[in-house]
Amino acid sequence: TTTTTTSVVKDPQTRSRLMKVSDPQTYSALSYAPPTKDEKKLPLLLVLHGAGKNDGDAWSLADPQGEHRGLAPSLLASGNAPPVLADNFAVVTPYSAGKPSFYG
């Protein structure tokens, strides 16, 4: 069963929206889609970060002070993402908490 939780990060500049998507059979991920006024299709940015510790939760990807600082989810969560990213791309960042790395 796939579960979804939403966290709206209140940021006046980007009004970023991050969502955790979980599938116990595979991996969890953080996803982001900018607010749009129409149904325009957005390019997808898939962020494959280094394996690292993987002992936290997918929300650790959004921690601007954490291991994944500087990656798209932490920039979006902190309001530091460039407008070209925050306004024009959907972002998905998988996280392998408690599971083997994506890389083998």
Side-chain angles (χ1 to χ4, degrees):
T1 303
T2 301
T3 59
T4 303
T5 58
T6 303
S7 173
V8 176
V9 181
K10 295 181 181 179
D11 177 70
Q13 181 183 0
T14 63
R15 288 177 276 183
S16 53
R17 302 178 321 171
L18 290 170
M19 183 183 326
K20 178 183 172 187
V21 180
S22 298
D23 179 350
Q25 300 301 314
T26 58
Y27 298 98
S28 61
L30 284 189
S31 66
Y32 167 83
T36 60
K37 293 184 171 130
D38 53 24
E39 296 294 319
K40 85 174 185 178
K41 293 182 180 180
L42 298 169
L44 176 65
L45 175 63
L46 180 61
V47 180
L48 297 176
H49 56 87
K53 297 176 189 171
N54 292 339
D55 57 2
D57 181 74
W59 285 110
S60 69
L61 294 165
D63 182 357
Q65 303 301 316
E67 177 184 9
H68 302 97
R69 66 188 168 275
L71 295 180
S74 66
L75 295 174
L76 290 162
S78 65
N80 293 317
V84 69
L85 170 64
D87 298 338
N88 298 299
F89 286 87
V91 178
V92 174
T93 309
Y95 190 74
S96 61
K99 296 185 180 177
S101 168
F102 305 114
Y103 307 107

Coordinates of all heavy atoms in Angstrom, one line a residue:
T1 N 0.8 -1.2 0.0 CA 0.0 0.0 0.0 C 0.9 1.2 0.0 O 1.8 1.4 0.8 CB -0.9 0.0 1.2 OG1 -1.7 -1.2 1.3 CG2 -1.8 1.2 1.2
T2 N 0.6 2.1 -0.9 CA 1.4 3.4 -1.0 C 0.7 4.4 -0.1 O -0.5 4.6 -0.2 CB 1.4 3.9 -2.5 OG1 2.0 2.9 -3.2 CG2 2.2 5.2 -2.6
T3 N 1.5 5.1 0.7 CA 0.9 6.2 1.5 C 1.6 7.5 1.1 O 2.7 7.6 0.6 CB 1.2 6.0 3.0 OG1 2.6 5.9 3.2 CG2 0.5 4.7 3.5
T4 N 0.8 8.6 1.3 CA 1.3 9.9 1.0 C 1.0 10.9 2.1 O -0.1 10.9 2.7 CB 0.6 10.4 -0.3 OG1 0.8 9.5 -1.4 CG2 1.1 11.8 -0.7
T5 N 2.0 11.7 2.5 CA 1.8 12.7 3.5 C 2.3 14.0 2.8 O 3.2 14.0 2.0 CB 2.6 12.5 4.8 OG1 4.0 12.3 4.5 CG2 2.1 11.2 5.5
T6 N 1.7 15.1 3.2 CA 2.0 16.4 2.6 C 2.5 17.3 3.7 O 1.9 17.4 4.8 CB 0.8 17.0 1.9 OG1 0.3 16.0 1.0 CG2 1.1 18.3 1.2
S7 N 3.5 18.1 3.3 CA 4.0 19.2 4.2 C 4.1 20.4 3.3 O 4.8 20.4 2.4 CB 5.3 18.9 4.8 OG 5.8 20.0 5.5
V8 N 3.3 21.4 3.6 CA 3.4 22.7 2.9 C 4.4 23.6 3.6 O 4.3 23.9 4.8 CB 2.1 23.4 2.8 CG1 2.2 24.7 2.1 CG2 1.1 22.5 2.0
V9 N 5.5 23.9 2.9 CA 6.5 24.8 3.5 C 6.1 26.2 3.1 O 6.0 26.6 2.0 CB 7.9 24.4 2.9 CG1 9.0 25.3 3.5 CG2 8.2 23.0 3.2
K10 N 5.8 27.0 4.1 CA 5.3 28.4 3.9 C 6.5 29.3 3.6 O 7.2 29.6 4.5 CB 4.5 28.8 5.1 CG 3.2 28.0 5.3 CD 2.4 28.5 6.5 CE 1.2 27.6 6.6 NZ 0.4 28.0 7.6
D11 N 6.7 29.6 2.4 CA 7.7 30.4 1.9 C 7.2 31.4 0.9 O 6.6 31.0 -0.1 CB 8.9 29.6 1.3 CG 10.0 30.5 0.8 OD1 10.7 31.1 1.6 OD2 10.1 30.6 -0.5
P12 N 7.2 32.7 1.2 CA 6.6 33.7 0.3 C 7.2 33.7 -1.0 O 6.5 34.1 -2.0 CB 6.7 35.0 1.1 CG 7.8 34.8 2.1 CD 7.8 33.3 2.4
Q13 N 8.5 33.4 -1.1 CA 9.1 33.5 -2.4 C 8.7 32.4 -3.4 O 8.4 32.6 -4.5 CB 10.7 33.5 -2.3 CG 11.4 33.7 -3.6 CD 12.9 33.6 -3.4 OE1 13.4 33.4 -2.3 NE2 13.6 33.7 -4.5
T14 N 8.8 31.2 -2.9 CA 8.5 30.0 -3.8 C 7.3 29.3 -3.5 O 6.8 28.5 -4.3 CB 9.7 29.0 -3.8 OG1 9.8 28.5 -2.4 CG2 11.0 29.6 -4.2
R15 N 6.7 29.5 -2.3 CA 5.6 28.7 -1.9 C 5.7 27.2 -2.2 O 4.9 26.6 -2.8 CB 4.3 29.2 -2.5 CG 3.9 30.6 -1.9 CD 2.7 31.1 -2.6 NE 3.1 31.7 -3.8 CZ 2.4 32.4 -4.6 NH1 1.1 32.4 -4.4 NH2 2.9 33.0 -5.7
S16 N 6.9 26.7 -1.8 CA 7.2 25.4 -2.1 C 6.3 24.4 -1.5 O 5.8 24.6 -0.4 CB 8.7 25.1 -1.8 OG 9.0 25.4 -0.5
R17 N 6.1 23.3 -2.2 CA 5.2 22.2 -1.7 C 6.0 20.9 -1.9 O 6.3 20.5 -2.9 CB 4.0 22.1 -2.5 CG 3.2 23.4 -2.5 CD 2.0 23.4 -3.3 NE 2.2 22.8 -4.6 CZ 1.2 22.5 -5.4 NH1 0.0 22.8 -5.1 NH2 1.5 21.8 -6.6
L18 N 6.3 20.3 -0.7 CA 7.0 19.0 -0.7 C 6.0 18.0 -0.2 O 5.2 18.2 0.7 CB 8.2 19.1 0.2 CG 9.4 19.9 -0.3 CD1 10.4 20.0 0.8 CD2 10.0 19.3 -1.5
M19 N 6.1 16.8 -0.8 CA 5.2 15.7 -0.4 C 6.1 14.4 -0.2 O 7.0 14.1 -1.1 CB 4.2 15.5 -1.5 CG 3.2 14.4 -1.1 SD 2.0 14.1 -2.4 CE 1.7 15.6 -3.2
K20 N 5.9 13.7 0.8 CA 6.5 12.4 1.0 C 5.6 11.3 0.4 O 4.4 11.2 0.8 CB 6.8 12.1 2.5 CG 7.5 10.7 2.7 CD 7.7 10.5 4.1 CE 8.2 9.1 4.4 NZ 8.2 8.7 5.8
V21 N 6.2 10.5 -0.4 CA 5.5 9.3 -1.0 C 6.2 8.1 -0.5 O 7.4 8.0 -0.6 CB 5.5 9.4 -2.5 CG1 4.7 8.3 -3.1 CG2 4.9 10.8 -3.0
S22 N 5.4 7.1 0.0 CA 6.0 5.9 0.5 C 5.4 4.7 -0.1 O 4.2 4.6 -0.2 CB 5.9 5.8 2.0 OG 6.5 6.9 2.7
D23 N 6.3 3.7 -0.4 CA 5.8 2.4 -0.9 C 6.7 1.4 -0.1 O 7.9 1.3 -0.4 CB 6.0 2.3 -2.4 CG 5.5 0.9 -2.9 OD1 5.3 0.0 -2.1 OD2 5.4 0.7 -4.1
P24 N 6.1 0.6 0.8 CA 7.0 -0.3 1.6 C 7.6 -1.4 0.8 O 8.6 -1.9 1.2 CB 6.0 -0.9 2.6 CG 4.6 -0.5 2.2 CD 4.7 0.6 1.2
Q25 N 7.2 -1.6 -0.4 CA 7.8 -2.6 -1.3 C 9.0 -2.1 -2.0 O 9.8 -2.8 -2.5 CB 6.8 -3.2 -2.3 CG 5.6 -3.8 -1.6 CD 6.0 -5.0 -0.7 OE1 6.8 -5.8 -1.1 NE2 5.4 -5.0 0.5
T26 N 9.1 -0.8 -2.1 CA 10.2 -0.2 -2.9 C 10.9 0.9 -2.0 O 11.5 0.6 -1.0 CB 9.8 0.4 -4.2 OG1 8.8 1.4 -4.0 CG2 9.2 -0.7 -5.1
Y27 N 10.8 2.2 -2.4 CA 11.5 3.2 -1.7 C 10.5 4.4 -1.4 O 9.5 4.5 -2.1 CB 12.6 3.8 -2.5 CG 13.7 2.7 -2.7 CD1 13.8 2.0 -3.9 CD2 14.7 2.5 -1.8 CE1 14.7 1.1 -4.1 CE2 15.7 1.6 -2.0 CZ 15.7 0.9 -3.2 OH 16.7 -0.1 -3.4
S28 N 10.8 5.2 -0.4 CA 10.1 6.4 -0.2 C 10.8 7.5 -1.0 O 11.9 7.3 -1.5 CB 10.0 6.8 1.3 OG 11.3 7.0 1.8
A29 N 10.1 8.6 -1.2 CA 10.7 9.8 -1.9 C 10.0 11.0 -1.5 O 8.9 11.1 -0.9 CB 10.4 9.6 -3.4
L30 N 10.7 12.1 -1.7 CA 10.1 13.5 -1.6 C 9.8 13.9 -3.0 O 10.6 13.7 -3.9 CB 11.1 14.5 -0.9 CG 11.2 14.4 0.6 CD1 12.0 15.6 1.1 CD2 9.9 14.3 1.3
S31 N 8.7 14.5 -3.2 CA 8.3 15.0 -4.5 C 7.8 16.5 -4.3 O 7.4 16.9 -3.2 CB 7.2 14.2 -5.1 OG 6.0 14.3 -4.4
Y32 N 8.0 17.2 -5.4 CA 7.6 18.6 -5.4 C 7.0 19.0 -6.7 O 7.5 18.5 -7.8 CB 8.9 19.5 -5.2 CG 8.7 20.9 -5.5 CD1 8.2 21.8 -4.5 CD2 9.1 21.5 -6.7 CE1 8.0 23.1 -4.8 CE2 8.9 22.8 -7.0 CZ 8.4 23.6 -6.0 OH 8.2 25.0 -6.3
A33 N 6.0 19.8 -6.7 CA 5.5 20.4 -7.9 C 5.1 21.8 -7.6 O 4.5 22.1 -6.6 CB 4.2 19.6 -8.4
P34 N 5.6 22.7 -8.5 CA 5.3 24.1 -8.2 C 3.8 24.4 -8.4 O 3.1 23.7 -9.2 CB 6.1 24.9 -9.2 CG 6.3 23.9 -10.3 CD 6.3 22.5 -9.7
P35 N 3.2 25.4 -7.8 CA 1.9 25.8 -8.0 C 1.7 26.3 -9.5 O 2.6 27.0 -10.0 CB 1.6 26.9 -7.1 CG 2.8 27.1 -6.2 CD 3.9 26.2 -6.8
T36 N 0.7 25.8 -10.2 CA 0.5 26.2 -11.5 C -0.9 26.6 -11.7 O -1.8 26.2 -11.0 CB 0.8 25.1 -12.6 OG1 -0.1 24.0 -12.3 CG2 2.2 24.6 -12.5
K37 N -1.1 27.5 -12.6 CA -2.5 28.1 -12.9 C -3.2 27.3 -14.0 O -4.3 27.4 -14.2 CB -2.4 29.5 -13.2 CG -2.0 30.4 -12.0 CD -2.0 31.8 -12.4 CE -1.7 32.6 -11.1 NZ -0.9 33.6 -11.0
D38 N -2.4 26.5 -14.7 CA -3.0 25.7 -15.8 C -2.5 24.3 -15.7 O -1.8 23.9 -14.8 CB -2.6 26.3 -17.1 CG -1.1 26.6 -17.3 OD1 -0.3 25.9 -16.7 OD2 -0.8 27.4 -18.1
E39 N -2.7 23.5 -16.7 CA -2.3 22.1 -16.7 C -1.1 21.9 -17.5 O -0.9 20.8 -18.1 CB -3.5 21.3 -17.3 CG -4.7 21.3 -16.4 CD -4.5 20.6 -15.1 OE1 -3.9 19.5 -15.0 OE2 -5.0 21.1 -14.1
K40 N -0.2 22.9 -17.5 CA 1.0 22.7 -18.3 C 1.9 21.6 -17.8 O 2.0 21.3 -16.6 CB 1.8 24.0 -18.4 CG 2.8 24.2 -17.2 CD 3.6 25.5 -17.5 CE 4.6 25.7 -16.4 NZ 5.5 26.8 -16.5
K41 N 2.5 20.8 -18.7 CA 3.4 19.7 -18.4 C 4.7 20.3 -17.9 O 5.2 21.3 -18.5 CB 3.6 18.8 -19.5 CG 2.3 18.1 -19.9 CD 2.5 17.1 -21.0 CE 1.2 16.4 -21.3 NZ 1.3 15.5 -22.4
L42 N 5.3 19.7 -16.9 CA 6.5 20.2 -16.3 C 7.6 19.2 -16.6 O 7.4 18.0 -16.5 CB 6.4 20.4 -14.8 CG 5.4 21.4 -14.3 CD1 5.2 21.3 -12.8 CD2 5.9 22.8 -14.7
P43 N 8.8 19.6 -16.8 CA 10.0 18.7 -16.9 C 10.2 18.1 -15.5 O 10.0 18.8 -14.5 CB 11.1 19.5 -17.3 CG 10.8 21.0 -17.1 CD 9.3 21.0 -17.1
L44 N 10.6 16.9 -15.4 CA 10.9 16.2 -14.2 C 12.4 16.2 -13.9 O 13.2 15.8 -14.7 CB 10.4 14.8 -14.2 CG 10.7 13.9 -13.0 CD1 10.0 14.5 -11.7 CD2 10.3 12.5 -13.2
L45 N 12.8 16.6 -12.7 CA 14.2 16.6 -12.2 C 14.2 15.4 -11.2 O 13.6 15.5 -10.2 CB 14.6 17.9 -11.6 CG 16.0 17.9 -11.0 CD1 17.1 17.7 -12.0 CD2 16.2 19.2 -10.2
L46 N 14.9 14.4 -11.6 CA 15.1 13.2 -10.7 C 16.4 13.4 -10.0 O 17.5 13.3 -10.7 CB 15.0 11.9 -11.5 CG 15.2 10.6 -10.7 CD1 14.1 10.4 -9.7 CD2 15.2 9.4 -11.7
V47 N 16.4 13.5 -8.7 CA 17.6 13.7 -7.9 C 18.1 12.4 -7.3 O 17.4 11.9 -6.4 CB 17.4 14.8 -6.8 CG1 18.7 15.0 -6.0 CG2 16.9 16.1 -7.4
L48 N 19.1 11.8 -7.8 CA 19.7 10.6 -7.2 C 21.0 11.0 -6.4 O 22.0 11.3 -7.0 CB 20.1 9.6 -8.3 CG 18.9 9.1 -9.1 CD1 19.4 8.2 -10.2 CD2 17.9 8.4 -8.2
H49 N 20.8 11.1 -5.1 CA 21.9 11.6 -4.2 C 22.8 10.4 -3.9 O 22.4 9.2 -4.1 CB 21.3 12.2 -3.0 CG 20.3 11.3 -2.3 ND1 20.8 10.4 -1.3 CD2 19.0 11.1 -2.4 CE1 19.7 9.7 -0.9 NE2 18.7 10.1 -1.6
G50 N 23.9 10.6 -3.3 CA 24.8 9.6 -2.8 C 24.1 8.8 -1.7 O 23.2 9.3 -1.0
A51 N 24.5 7.5 -1.5 CA 23.8 6.6 -0.6 C 23.9 7.2 0.9 O 22.9 7.2 1.6 CB 24.3 5.2 -0.7
G52 N 25.1 7.6 1.3 CA 25.2 8.2 2.6 C 24.8 7.2 3.7 O 25.0 6.0 3.6
K53 N 24.2 7.7 4.7 CA 23.9 6.9 5.9 C 22.5 6.2 5.7 O 22.4 5.1 6.1 CB 23.8 7.8 7.2 CG 25.1 8.4 7.5 CD 24.9 9.3 8.7 CE 26.2 10.1 9.0 NZ 26.0 11.1 10.0
N54 N 21.6 6.9 5.1 CA 20.2 6.3 4.9 C 19.6 5.8 6.2 O 18.8 4.8 6.2 CB 20.2 5.2 3.9 CG 20.5 5.7 2.5 OD1 20.4 6.9 2.2 ND2 21.0 4.8 1.6
D55 N 19.9 6.4 7.3 CA 19.3 6.0 8.6 C 18.2 6.9 9.1 O 17.6 6.7 10.1 CB 20.4 5.8 9.6 CG 21.2 7.1 9.9 OD1 20.9 8.1 9.3 OD2 22.1 7.0 10.7
G56 N 17.8 7.9 8.3 CA 16.8 8.8 8.7 C 15.5 8.5 7.9 O 15.3 7.4 7.5
D57 N 14.7 9.6 7.8 CA 13.4 9.5 7.1 C 13.6 10.3 5.8 O 14.6 11.1 5.7 CB 12.4 10.1 7.9 CG 11.0 10.1 7.3 OD1 10.4 9.0 7.2 OD2 10.6 11.2 6.9
A58 N 12.8 10.1 4.8 CA 12.8 10.9 3.6 C 12.8 12.4 3.8 O 13.5 13.1 3.0 CB 11.7 10.5 2.6
W59 N 12.2 12.8 4.9 CA 12.2 14.2 5.2 C 13.6 14.8 5.5 O 13.8 16.0 5.4 CB 11.3 14.6 6.4 CG 9.8 14.5 5.9 CD1 8.9 13.5 6.3 CD2 9.2 15.4 5.0 NE1 7.7 13.8 5.7 CE2 7.8 14.9 4.9 CE3 9.5 16.5 4.3 CZ2 6.9 15.5 4.1 CZ3 8.6 17.1 3.5 CH2 7.3 16.6 3.4
S60 N 14.6 13.9 5.8 CA 15.9 14.4 6.0 C 16.5 15.0 4.7 O 17.4 15.8 4.8 CB 16.8 13.3 6.5 OG 17.1 12.3 5.6
L61 N 15.9 14.6 3.6 CA 16.4 15.2 2.3 C 16.1 16.7 2.3 O 16.7 17.5 1.5 CB 15.7 14.6 1.1 CG 16.0 13.1 0.9 CD1 15.0 12.5 0.0 CD2 17.4 13.0 0.3
A62 N 15.1 17.2 3.0 CA 14.7 18.6 3.0 C 15.4 19.4 4.1 O 15.2 20.6 4.2 CB 13.2 18.7 3.2
D63 N 16.3 18.8 4.9 CA 17.0 19.5 6.0 C 18.1 20.4 5.4 O 19.1 19.8 4.9 CB 17.5 18.5 7.0 CG 18.2 19.2 8.2 OD1 18.3 20.4 8.2 OD2 18.7 18.4 9.0
P64 N 18.0 21.7 5.5 CA 19.1 22.6 4.9 C 20.4 22.5 5.6 O 21.4 23.0 5.1 CB 18.5 24.0 4.9 CG 17.4 23.9 5.9 CD 16.9 22.5 6.0
Q65 N 20.4 21.9 6.8 CA 21.6 21.8 7.6 C 22.1 20.3 7.6 O 23.2 20.0 8.2 CB 21.4 22.2 9.0 CG 20.9 23.6 9.2 CD 21.9 24.7 8.5 OE1 23.1 24.6 8.7 NE2 21.3 25.6 7.8
G66 N 21.4 19.4 7.0 CA 21.7 18.0 7.1 C 22.7 17.5 6.0 O 23.3 18.3 5.3
E67 N 22.8 16.2 6.0 CA 23.7 15.5 5.1 C 23.4 15.8 3.6 O 24.3 15.9 2.8 CB 23.5 14.0 5.3 CG 24.3 13.1 4.4 CD 24.0 11.7 4.6 OE1 23.1 11.3 5.3 OE2 24.8 10.9 4.0
H68 N 22.2 16.1 3.3 CA 21.8 16.4 1.9 C 21.6 17.9 1.6 O 20.9 18.2 0.6 CB 20.5 15.6 1.5 CG 20.7 14.1 1.7 ND1 20.2 13.5 2.9 CD2 21.2 13.2 1.0 CE1 20.5 12.2 2.8 NE2 21.1 12.0 1.7
R69 N 22.2 18.7 2.4 CA 22.1 20.2 2.2 C 22.6 20.5 0.8 O 23.6 19.9 0.3 CB 22.8 20.9 3.2 CG 24.3 20.8 3.2 CD 24.9 21.4 4.5 NE 26.3 21.0 4.6 CZ 26.7 19.9 5.2 NH1 25.8 19.1 5.7 NH2 28.0 19.6 5.3
G70 N 22.0 21.5 0.2 CA 22.4 21.9 -1.2 C 21.7 21.2 -2.3 O 21.8 21.7 -3.4
L71 N 21.0 20.1 -2.0 CA 20.3 19.4 -3.1 C 18.9 20.0 -3.2 O 18.4 20.8 -2.3 CB 20.1 17.9 -2.7 CG 21.4 17.1 -2.7 CD1 21.1 15.6 -2.3 CD2 22.2 17.2 -4.0
A72 N 18.3 19.8 -4.3 CA 17.0 20.4 -4.6 C 16.0 20.4 -3.5 O 15.4 21.4 -3.2 CB 16.4 19.9 -5.9
P73 N 15.7 19.3 -2.8 CA 14.7 19.3 -1.7 C 15.0 20.3 -0.6 O 14.1 21.0 -0.1 CB 14.7 17.9 -1.2 CG 15.2 17.0 -2.4 CD 16.2 17.9 -3.0
S74 N 16.3 20.3 -0.2 CA 16.6 21.2 0.9 C 16.6 22.7 0.4 O 16.2 23.6 1.2 CB 18.0 20.9 1.5 OG 19.1 21.2 0.5
L75 N 16.9 23.0 -0.8 CA 16.8 24.3 -1.3 C 15.4 24.8 -1.4 O 15.0 25.9 -1.1 CB 17.5 24.4 -2.7 CG 19.0 24.2 -2.7 CD1 19.5 24.2 -4.2 CD2 19.7 25.3 -1.9
L76 N 14.5 23.9 -1.9 CA 13.1 24.2 -1.9 C 12.5 24.4 -0.6 O 11.7 25.3 -0.3 CB 12.3 23.1 -2.7 CG 12.6 23.0 -4.2 CD1 12.2 21.6 -4.7 CD2 12.0 24.1 -4.9
A77 N 12.8 23.5 0.4 CA 12.3 23.6 1.7 C 12.7 24.9 2.5 O 11.9 25.4 3.2 CB 12.7 22.4 2.6
S78 N 13.9 25.3 2.2 CA 14.4 26.5 2.9 C 14.1 27.8 2.2 O 14.4 28.9 2.7 CB 15.9 26.4 3.1 OG 16.6 26.4 1.8
G79 N 13.5 27.7 1.0 CA 13.2 28.9 0.2 C 14.4 29.5 -0.5 O 14.4 30.6 -1.0
N80 N 15.5 28.7 -0.6 CA 16.7 29.1 -1.3 C 16.8 28.6 -2.7 O 17.9 28.7 -3.3 CB 17.9 28.7 -0.5 CG 18.0 29.4 0.8 OD1 17.8 30.7 0.9 ND2 18.3 28.8 1.9
A81 N 15.8 27.9 -3.2 CA 15.9 27.4 -4.6 C 15.8 28.5 -5.6 O 15.0 29.5 -5.4 CB 14.8 26.4 -4.8
P82 N 16.6 28.4 -6.6 CA 16.5 29.5 -7.7 C 15.1 29.4 -8.3 O 14.5 28.4 -8.4 CB 17.5 29.1 -8.7 CG 18.4 28.0 -8.1 CD 17.6 27.5 -7.0
P83 N 14.5 30.6 -8.6 CA 13.2 30.6 -9.2 C 13.0 29.7 -10.4 O 11.9 29.1 -10.6 CB 12.9 32.1 -9.5 CG 13.8 32.8 -8.6 CD 15.0 31.9 -8.4
V84 N 14.0 29.6 -11.2 CA 13.9 28.7 -12.4 C 13.6 27.3 -12.0 O 12.9 26.6 -12.7 CB 15.2 28.8 -13.3 CG1 16.4 28.2 -12.6 CG2 14.9 28.2 -14.7
L85 N 14.2 26.8 -10.9 CA 13.9 25.5 -10.3 C 12.5 25.5 -9.7 O 11.6 24.6 -10.0 CB 14.9 25.0 -9.3 CG 14.6 23.8 -8.5 CD1 14.5 22.6 -9.5 CD2 15.7 23.5 -7.5
A86 N 12.3 26.4 -8.8 CA 11.0 26.4 -8.0 C 9.8 26.6 -8.8 O 8.7 26.1 -8.4 CB 11.1 27.4 -6.9
D87 N 9.9 27.3 -9.9 CA 8.7 27.6 -10.7 C 8.5 26.8 -11.9 O 7.4 26.8 -12.5 CB 8.8 29.1 -11.1 CG 8.8 30.1 -10.0 OD1 8.4 29.7 -8.9 OD2 9.3 31.2 -10.2
N88 N 9.5 26.0 -12.3 CA 9.4 25.4 -13.6 C 9.7 23.9 -13.6 O 9.6 23.3 -14.7 CB 10.4 26.0 -14.6 CG 10.1 27.5 -14.8 OD1 9.0 27.8 -15.2 ND2 11.0 28.4 -14.4
F89 N 10.0 23.3 -12.5 CA 10.3 21.8 -12.5 C 9.5 21.1 -11.5 O 9.3 21.6 -10.4 CB 11.8 21.6 -12.2 CG 12.7 22.0 -13.4 CD1 13.1 23.2 -13.5 CD2 13.1 21.0 -14.3 CE1 14.0 23.6 -14.6 CE2 13.9 21.3 -15.3 CZ 14.3 22.6 -15.5
A90 N 9.1 19.9 -11.8 CA 8.7 18.9 -10.8 C 10.0 18.2 -10.4 O 10.9 17.9 -11.2 CB 7.7 17.9 -11.4
V91 N 10.0 17.8 -9.1 CA 11.2 17.2 -8.5 C 10.9 15.9 -7.8 O 9.9 16.0 -7.0 CB 12.0 18.2 -7.6 CG1 13.2 17.5 -7.0 CG2 12.4 19.5 -8.3
V92 N 11.6 14.9 -8.0 CA 11.4 13.6 -7.2 C 12.8 13.2 -6.8 O 13.7 13.1 -7.5 CB 10.8 12.5 -8.1 CG1 10.8 11.2 -7.3 CG2 9.4 12.9 -8.5
T93 N 12.9 12.9 -5.4 CA 14.1 12.5 -4.8 C 13.9 11.2 -4.0 O 13.3 11.3 -2.9 CB 14.7 13.6 -3.9 OG1 14.8 14.8 -4.7 CG2 16.1 13.2 -3.5
P94 N 14.2 10.0 -4.5 CA 14.0 8.8 -3.8 C 15.0 8.7 -2.6 O 16.0 9.3 -2.6 CB 14.3 7.7 -4.8 CG 14.9 8.3 -6.0 CD 14.7 9.8 -5.9
Y95 N 14.5 8.0 -1.6 CA 15.3 7.8 -0.4 C 15.2 6.3 0.1 O 14.1 5.8 0.2 CB 14.8 8.7 0.7 CG 15.7 8.8 1.9 CD1 17.0 9.4 1.9 CD2 15.4 8.2 3.1 CE1 17.8 9.5 3.0 CE2 16.2 8.2 4.2 CZ 17.4 8.9 4.1 OH 18.2 9.0 5.2
S96 N 16.3 5.7 0.3 CA 16.3 4.3 0.7 C 16.5 4.0 2.1 O 17.4 3.2 2.5 CB 17.4 3.5 -0.2 OG 18.7 4.1 0.1
A97 N 15.8 4.6 3.0 CA 15.9 4.5 4.4 C 15.7 3.0 4.8 O 14.7 2.4 4.5 CB 14.9 5.3 5.2
G98 N 16.7 2.5 5.5 CA 16.6 1.1 6.0 C 16.7 0.1 5.0 O 16.4 -1.1 5.3
K99 N 17.0 0.4 3.8 CA 17.1 -0.6 2.7 C 18.5 -0.4 2.0 O 19.2 0.5 2.1 CB 16.0 -0.3 1.7 CG 14.6 -0.4 2.3 CD 13.5 -0.3 1.2 CE 12.2 -0.5 1.9 NZ 11.1 -0.3 1.1
P100 N 18.8 -1.5 1.2 CA 20.1 -1.4 0.5 C 20.1 -0.2 -0.4 O 19.0 0.3 -0.9 CB 20.1 -2.7 -0.3 CG 19.2 -3.6 0.3 CD 18.1 -2.7 1.0
S101 N 21.2 0.3 -0.7 CA 21.4 1.4 -1.6 C 20.8 1.1 -3.0 O 20.7 0.0 -3.4 CB 22.9 1.8 -1.8 OG 23.2 2.6 -2.8
F102 N 20.5 2.2 -3.8 CA 20.1 2.0 -5.1 C 21.2 1.4 -6.0 O 21.0 0.9 -7.1 CB 19.7 3.4 -5.8 CG 18.7 4.2 -5.0 CD1 19.1 5.4 -4.4 CD2 17.4 3.8 -4.9 CE1 18.2 6.1 -3.7 CE2 16.5 4.5 -4.2 CZ 16.9 5.7 -3.6
Y103 N 22.4 1.6 -5.5 CA 23.6 1.3 -6.4 C 24.1 -0.1 -6.2 O 25.2 -0.5 -6.7 CB 24.7 2.3 -6.1 CG 24.2 3.7 -6.2 CD1 24.0 4.5 -5.1 CD2 23.9 4.2 -7.5 CE1 23.5 5.8 -5.2 CE2 23.4 5.5 -7.6 CZ 23.2 6.3 -6.5 OH 22.8 7.6 -6.6
G104 N 23.4 -1.0 -5.5 CA 23.9 -2.4 -5.4 C 24.0 -3.0 -4.1 O 23.6 -2.7 -3.1

